[in-house]
Amino acid sequence: KLAQALGSPPFDMTCMFQEVNGCEALPSFHRGRTPITAIFGSPGLYPEHAIAFPHFMSVGDHRLFVVDIPAATMFGRVHPRIASPSARQLNCSIDRTRRQYNRLLSSLAEEHRMQDRLVDMIQSSEEDPEALHLRHNAWDNEFGCYMSAAEKQCTRRRNDMIEFSPMVNTVLHRKRIYQWALRKKKGHRINVGSLKRAAKVWKVDNPLDLTIHELEVRLHALEVELNVLRHNSKQLRRQHLLDCLRRARDEGEEDDVHEIKRIMKRESDKEKQKRINFAVRPPQGRSVTQVQLNDPKTTPKSEADFRTEEEDIIKECNARLSQRFSLGKRAAISHGKLLEDLGNLGDTATARRILEGTYEFPEDADRAT
């Protein structure tokens, strides 16, 4: 009955498989003789291909039917954008963030009279219903913009490549000040007053009096210091939280004690889950976009030598990898009389004599070997 209803007015739908192949759809069930599965389409859809897979090629004991329909016959020239919905930036598990978000959103709503305008639309009876519907949608979109603005103001995305602690915070702020001064030296417009105040707070002496080379050297020194701190950042972070917890207990701040404990538990769970993901998940990564030929730990960014073209990247990687993988064959122990006596597996009598200290090394043997 359903198939007959779909094939009758006002639907007038047809079987896509029959329209492409010119015959009825094959029996779906592996023991059946009558087709009980079909893909119906509305008039105006023009399928190009249709196929019915053999039994047991999919989940279950029925055939899998696939119909290829061009997107132009469904959407025209304007195709819908396939994208994941954007996630909210608000972390509602933090009380301080919730209070700040509510305060900012209430302030924006009061500033733009959102409540009064909504009441006016509800009480309006003379306006056309369609126009009123458009006004409601415009009000909803505007309020959504205010919600997004409040989220951005009360949410800060921090770099999680290194754990936060007072020592790390000091190094990051000083690095930011030197980057700020470097932009000024290169002709960019900056707020000099704000730069001087930040330099005074973080005890950076006269950053604007330094040359471009001196600024780059100091930035490189801070990068090296950050790499050293990164190895001890977890211990510094935990010690910082323990100090905050101790101060909160001494001052009798029970809410702060509860919040610090929650942060410590959340970070512990996150670190545990990260180790689990590292062990069970397959490695993921994007393709290589650039390679640096010199050591990034000892070379300033201004002197770095990069390769960004695909052919250059493949050439440099092949050269470095072949050199590394053939290092064992080029070692001094890999040729000469010593290799003949010792063998590739080191299972000869010479190996025992070397361990006993009775073997006389040949004259062509490498001294270090």
Side-chain angles (χ1 to χ4, degrees):
K1 294 182 178 180
L2 177 61
Q4 294 176 356
L6 293 177
S8 304
F11 305 107
D12 294 327
M13 302 177 74
T14 57
C15 177
M16 299 284 101
F17 186 90
Q18 183 175 355
E19 185 174 343
V20 173
N21 298 307
C23 61
E24 291 186 353
L26 299 176
S28 172
F29 190 55
H30 72 285
R31 289 183 298 181
R33 297 182 179 180
T34 304
I36 59 174
T37 300
I39 300 177
F40 288 91
S42 303
L45 293 181
Y46 302 103
E48 293 185 350
H49 307 91
I51 185 173
F53 285 84
H55 293 111
F56 307 106
M57 288 290 292
S58 62
V59 178
D61 50 7
H62 286 258
R63 293 182 186 271
L64 173 64
F65 290 84
V66 178
V67 176
D68 182 15
I69 302 176
T73 63
M74 301 180 65
F75 309 109
R77 295 184 178 180
V78 181
H79 294 181
R81 180 183 178 185
I82 301 176
S84 301
S86 58
R88 296 195 65 181
Q89 300 181 10
L90 191 64
N91 188 355
C92 298
S93 60
I94 303 177
D95 294 335
R96 172 180 52 82
T97 305
R98 290 200 303 267
R99 292 194 299 268
Q100 185 180 8
Y101 172 76
N102 291 332
R103 179 177 56 81
L104 291 172
L105 184 59
S106 299
S107 176
L108 290 172
E110 184 178 355
E111 179 182 355
H112 296 276
R113 299 179 57 252
M114 300 301 293
Q115 182 67 25
D116 296 338
R117 290 160 57 186
L118 180 61
V119 172
D120 292 342
M121 284 188 290
I122 294 175
Q123 296 177 352
S124 177
S125 59
E126 300 179 357
E127 195 169 0
D128 182 60
E130 184 176 354
L132 186 62
H133 178 72
L134 296 176
R135 286 184 58 190
H136 273 282
N137 288 339
W139 183 95
D140 183 70
N141 293 334
E142 183 179 351
F143 194 72
C145 293
Y146 298 146
M147 294 172 65
S148 300
E151 289 179 4
K152 291 180 181 179
Q153 292 186 41
C154 66
T155 303
R156 293 183 180 181
R157 296 294 181 185
R158 300 186 183 276
N159 185 6
D160 59 351
M161 298 298 295
I162 183 170
E163 301 287 344
F164 175 84
S165 63
M167 187 179 299
V168 173
N169 188 40
T170 301
V171 176
L172 289 176
H173 275 88
R174 289 177 179 176
K175 178 184 174 183
R176 177 173 171 270
I177 291 171
Y178 286 129
Q179 289 175 339
W180 210 351
L182 185 61
R183 285 177 54 83
K184 173 66 176 177
K185 291 293 183 178
K186 291 184 177 180
H188 296 276
R189 296 180 60 183
I190 66 169
N191 192 326
V192 179
S194 299
L195 174 60
K196 291 181 177 180
R197 286 191 294 271
K200 183 178 180 180
V201 170
W202 297 102
K203 299 179 181 180
V204 178
D205 297 331
N206 303 321
L208 292 176
D209 294 341
L210 302 176
T211 63
I212 293 180
H213 179 70
E214 291 173 338
L215 289 171
E216 290 179 346
V217 170
R218 297 200 179 191
L219 282 171
H220 179 67
L222 289 175
E223 287 285 355
V224 175
E225 186 175 357
L226 279 176
N227 288 331
V228 175
L229 289 175
R230 186 173 286 111
H231 297 289
N232 303 322
S233 59
K234 289 183 173 59
Q235 293 84 348
L236 294 173
R237 170 67 175 174
R238 181 164 182 81
Q239 186 61 41
H240 168 60
L241 291 175
L242 290 175
D243 293 341
C244 294
L245 182 61
R246 191 179 302 110
R247 286 196 301 268
R249 284 175 174 171
D250 295 340
E251 296 173 2
E253 298 290 343
E254 295 299 330
D255 293 341
D256 293 345
V257 171
H258 176 73
E259 184 67 17
I260 294 172
K261 287 183 178 180
R262 187 192 64 81
I263 293 174
M264 295 177 68
K265 183 179 184 305
R266 182 187 62 185
E267 293 183 356
S268 177
D269 296 342
K270 184 178 180 181
E271 185 67 24
K272 184 187 300 182
Q273 187 63 38
K274 187 184 297 185
R275 293 195 298 268
I276 295 174
N277 294 341
F278 179 80
V280 301
R281 288 186 178 179
Q284 297 179 354
R286 64 176 186 175
S287 58
V288 179
T289 57
Q290 67 176 14
V291 293
Q292 183 174 346
L293 302 185
N294 37 28
D295 190 356
K297 296 182 179 179
T298 59
T299 307
K301 290 185 178 180
S302 59
E303 302 177 6
D305 188 11
F306 292 99
R307 296 291 184 270
T308 56
E309 297 295 334
E310 181 180 0
E311 295 183 359
D312 297 337
I313 291 175
I314 295 176
K315 180 180 177 181
E316 295 294 338
C317 290
N318 287 340
R320 301 299 176 93
L321 292 176
S322 61
Q323 182 181 6
R324 174 176 295 182
F325 294 150
S326 62
L327 184 61
K329 295 295 184 181
R330 292 185 286 107
I333 198 175
S334 298
H335 54 81
K337 184 68 169 54
L338 179 60
L339 177 63
E340 296 178 3
D341 295 342
L342 187 60
N344 292 325
L345 300 179
D347 54 354
T348 61
T350 302
R352 175 61 58 182
R353 292 165 55 190
I354 292 175
L355 295 176
E356 294 174 352
T358 60
Y359 178 74
E360 294 183 3
F361 289 91
E363 295 181 357
D364 62 345
D366 183 68
R367 183 179 179 82
T369 302

